[in-house]
Amino acid sequence: TLQTGRKALPITMQLLDRTMVLKRLAAVAFWALAPTSQRSANAFSSTLPNQPGRSISTNDEDKGRTKTVAYKQFSLPLENYGAEVPVAAWFPTSNDGDDFKSSTTAKTPIYKHRISVRRIGQLLAQWDFIPGLVARDFVLPPSNKYVFDGSNANLPASGPVILLAHGYLGSRFDLSHLAEALSLEGFTCLACEYPESLSASYNRVDGLDRAAINKALLLYLD
């Protein structure tokens, strides 16, 4: 009886795990595909807890700020894997924020985010039958007013660099609020989209993992 109980325990746990996976997948799919009017702004945060809030800072400190942060996105080519990996970049501008604002027309950037239900199904339940079209695109604002569009600006030629890594089923914008704050202090922050991301900007390929992407990014920076 004791041996039977021990054998039954993993089976029971597997059933519970599968049920939890199905419920979580269904919740995310419903949120991602529901019309905006039926979707709570905080629903995704409660489903996947690593998503930070996106409220815009209105502190008095920001009103008199001269330093600014630039944001841009670029693609990291990994030719051996046939992939173009999106990289989000936040970096400090010169101390004179007005010069940077004029060169970039003071445009506020947007963080283009995507949720792929197909990728979620692949990673959580090993399902490959969900169509790739079952996805939704979102536009997220920066967390602070001192972040400006740096699409036409170059990354700093020198200075400290921090690589920010999202978690399982995360995105390159999970730590954007932290990247904004660190860039204000002089750090260049780079966040790659890894194969475990729910954005699914590229196909998963054997051998293409975090280590390969980070190595390619460091070579790119050199």
Side-chain angles (χ1 to χ4, degrees), residues 113-135:
H113 181 49
R114 180 179 177 83
I115 295 178
S116 169
V117 178
R118 172 179 172 80
R119 179 58 54 85
I120 296 173
Q122 289 175 334
L123 295 176
L124 289 183
Q126 291 77 51
W127 290 345
D128 287 322
F129 60 84
I130 301 176
L133 296 176
V134 185

Side-chain angles (χ1 to χ4, degrees), residues 128-170:
D128 287 322
F129 60 84
I130 301 176
L133 296 176
V134 185
R136 183 179 285 268
D137 295 323
F138 301 89
V139 174
L140 306 175
S143 299
N144 297 280
K145 290 186 175 181
Y146 55 76
V147 182
F148 292 91
D149 185 7
S151 298
N152 298 323
N154 296 322
L155 294 177
S158 60
V161 177
I162 296 177
L163 303 186
L164 299 174
H166 65 73
Y168 198 74
L169 284 180

